Amino acid sequence: MKARAQLSPRQSTKLTPQLQLALKLLQCSQTELEQEIENALASNPMLERNDADADTTALTDTPAEPVEDAGADAGDGDPGDADFPHAAMPDTEESLWDALPEPKTLRSHLNEQLQLSALSRRDLAIGEAVIDSLDDDGYCHAGAEDLRTASALTPPASDAEIETVRHLIQRFDPVGVGSRSLSECLQVQLTQIAAEPALLALATDIAARHLDTLAKGGAPAVAKAGGYDPLSAAEAVALLKTLDPKPGALFQHSRTEYVEPDFAILPKRNGWQVQSLRDAGQHLRLNAYYLKLSRNSRGADAAHLAQYLQEARWLIAGIAARRDTLLKVVKAVVRKQTPFLDSGPASLQAMSMREIAETIGLHESTVSRACSGKWLATPHGMIELGSLFGSGITDDSGTVQAAGAVQGQIAALIAAESAAKPLSDAKLEQLLAARGLPVARRTVAKYREALGIPPSHLRKKTP
């Protein structure tokens, strides 16, 4: 067959560098945006901050149209409109932080051990998939099918291959990582302990069959349930208490991160107003000297300065577009969540990003980027913008109740319960149903756990 060239039209989407920058800025948190601005100021001589006390006669491009802000009607002299001060960290302290080594993560620690193991490439791929699936406590909750997909092997990894590699990882340091349950984690750790065989066997049996009983009634209840000698059971339980139920938690090192709100939601006589925060240091303009120099330059210098000028204009436009988009999204959210702002978490409204996107005429992915890492200062505390979105449950009247509102009702019911007779998940289900909220018991349990509230038998207090 003779080869020949053939042209065929095809449509494809390609983001321009300017649009890529705008999307990147939109997704940035306050801290990330300030870092982007600092980097740009350091690398691009065409940029400078548009401070109030700077030279007002500087030559600039036509400024972007100002974004209307509900907080602007408070007046220029209102201290409520002032930016929150942001003190710069001393250079010495910065250098100290920079000198600190990045803490080793659980995944990097396990991957180092995996690479040192004498495994085939196939088993290495499975091991990496298992390690990537671990949660912060070191547990593997991913099913065989998920791990098979993540390992991307041909032919696909079998269940036996996956389990073999997972059992190997369980013996890595820290021992017990990769387990699927607390019982399995403790049993693996017991295999690595040097103790009397009879004591190890008893502790293993308790870990396998009586952890629930141990949590409820301690060693005496375990001895009774298993028919063990009370003294032996107490020794075995004491051994179990020396084990680590969360082997991966040791690697949860993190520096304290301070959240800075993008907007404050403030009450006013006929509703709520949205006030932008921390905008002052984010207003940029073109440097007068370099702008004039670019207009009078020729040749290579002109091309070089033109590149700086283009990048500066893109950044200024991107920051203005970010500010405008965020304000639109937040205002739409505030309108939807007025009951929540008026009454608190119990009145949180079910709301989707698609709904907000349709309201303000933006794409759903744009709203998602706008909500990423953004925080609101509200009368009910500092709230992440994305946490206000979520599905809901339809009550008997046909009104959709947000999951957060249902959680609020569960928390209120538990707060009012009797300490001697706490409400079970089944009872909570009945009480919510009586309020017109048909919530399944398993959903009640999920919401209760999300609130960090233990089950009823752990909340019970005897007088």
Side-chain angles (χ1 to χ4, degrees):
M1 181 181 291
K2 186 177 180 181
R4 61 176 181 173
Q6 184 177 356
L7 295 176
S8 60
R10 183 178 63 181
Q11 289 185 338
S12 63
T13 302
K14 185 176 181 181
L15 298 179
T16 64
Q18 183 178 6
L19 184 54
Q20 290 176 5
L21 176 62
L23 294 176
K24 177 183 178 182
L25 295 175
L26 180 60
Q27 197 160 356
C28 284
S29 64
Q30 283 284 3
T31 303
E32 292 168 342
L33 178 62
E34 289 178 4
Q35 186 60 55
E36 289 288 335
I37 291 174
E38 289 295 334
N39 293 341
L41 288 170
S43 61
N44 192 336
M46 197 67 69
L47 282 169
E48 66 180 10
R49 291 191 186 275
N50 190 13
D51 297 325
D53 55 353
D55 181 11
T56 56
T57 62
L59 299 175
T60 64
D61 275 1
T62 303
E65 288 191 13
V67 179
E68 182 182 354
D69 191 334
D73 58 4
D76 294 337
D78 191 341
D81 287 340
D83 293 312
F84 290 158
H86 181 62
M89 186 182 293
D91 292 340
T92 55
E93 190 172 348
E94 276 186 355
S95 62
L96 287 174
W97 276 112
D98 293 339
L100 290 175
E102 286 298 322
K104 182 178 291 187
T105 65
L106 174 64
R107 289 174 179 80
S108 64
H109 181 60
L110 293 174
N111 274 314
E112 287 178 3
Q113 299 174 69
L114 182 69
Q115 298 302 322
L116 293 174
S117 303
L119 297 177
S120 65
R121 290 186 179 180
R122 187 175 179 86
D123 287 341
L124 284 174
I126 297 172
E128 290 172 356
V130 171
I131 291 171
D132 288 342
S133 73
L134 302 182
D135 63 16
D136 290 339
D137 293 329
Y139 284 88
C140 176
H141 299 296
E145 192 59 40
D146 293 330
L147 295 175
R148 194 167 11 254
T149 302
S151 59
L153 292 171
T154 305
S158 66
D159 290 359
E161 288 179 300
I162 292 172
E163 284 302 289
T164 298
V165 176
R166 187 177 70 85
H167 289 320
L168 173 66
I169 292 173
Q170 286 180 293
R171 272 70 182 177
F172 285 179
D173 175 59
V175 178
V177 293
S179 298
R180 297 193 181 279
S181 66
L182 174 60
S183 174
E184 184 183 13
C185 180
L186 298 179
Q187 290 180 68
V188 171
Q189 293 180 48
L190 287 170
T191 65
Q192 307 298 306
I193 292 178
E196 295 180 5
L199 180 60
L200 285 175
L202 180 55
T204 301
D205 192 49
I206 293 173
R209 302 195 297 132
H210 299 295
L211 285 184
D212 288 341
T213 304
L214 177 59
K216 294 176 183 178
V222 169
K224 183 178 180 180
Y228 309 128
D229 173 69
L231 182 58
S232 299
E235 292 178 353
V237 169
L239 178 60
L240 287 173
K241 288 183 178 179
T242 65
L243 305 180
D244 190 352
K246 298 179 179 180
L250 178 65
F251 292 83
Q252 293 182 32
H253 301 291
S254 61
R255 295 176 183 172
T256 302
E257 295 184 4
Y258 298 93
V259 173
E260 298 177 352
D262 292 73
F263 297 92
I265 313 302
L266 304 173
K268 62 180 183 180
R269 274 184 296 180
N270 58 341
W272 298 89
Q273 69 177 20
V274 178
Q275 178 177 312
S276 299
L277 301 175
R278 301 189 55 76
D279 274 349
Q282 297 170 2
H283 289 280
L284 303 178
R285 66 179 180 184
L286 300 178
N287 181 279
Y289 172 77
Y290 282 100
L291 182 61
K292 184 176 181 180
L293 187 63
S294 69
R295 291 170 178 169
N296 297 330
S297 298
R298 297 291 182 272
D301 290 340
H304 199 53
L305 289 171
Q307 180 65 27
Y308 279 132
L309 178 60
Q310 183 183 58
E311 292 175 357
R313 285 171 172 164
W314 285 354
L315 182 62
I316 292 172
I319 293 174
R322 176 187 186 273
R323 191 180 303 118
D324 186 28
T325 301
L326 279 178
L327 194 60
K328 287 181 180 178
V329 171
V330 173
K331 284 185 175 181
V333 169
V334 167
R335 283 193 292 269
K336 177 68 177 181
Q337 296 294 352
T338 295
F340 159 71
L341 294 169
D342 291 338
S343 308
S347 300
L348 190 66
Q349 304 295 297
M351 178 178 67
S352 67
M353 290 188 180
R354 176 175 295 181
E355 177 184 356
I356 295 300
E358 292 175 351
T359 300
I360 58 181
L362 295 175
H363 195 274
E364 185 178 352
S365 63
T366 302
V367 174
S368 177
R369 287 187 176 92
C371 294
S372 176
K374 312 306 187 302
W375 290 80
L376 308 177
T378 76
H380 307 293
M382 195 84 73
I383 296 175
E384 190 173 11
L385 182 56
S387 68
L388 297 176
F389 293 85
S391 58
I393 296 172
T394 305
D395 61 22
D396 291 346
S397 65
T399 303
V400 179
Q401 298 279 350
V406 179
Q407 288 181 1
Q409 296 201 38
I410 291 173
L413 288 170
I414 292 176
E417 71 184 3
S418 168
K421 193 176 181 181
L423 300 172
S424 65
D425 292 339
K427 185 61 177 177
L428 289 170
E429 177 188 3
Q430 296 174 7
L431 293 175
L432 290 172
R435 296 185 176 189
L437 281 172
V439 184
R441 184 188 61 78
R442 294 178 65 179
T443 304
V444 171
K446 182 179 73 172
Y447 287 172
R448 173 181 55 72
E449 291 171 357
L451 291 167
I453 300 174
S456 58
H457 68 271
L458 295 179
R459 303 197 307 271
K460 186 175 182 178
K461 296 179 181 179
T462 55

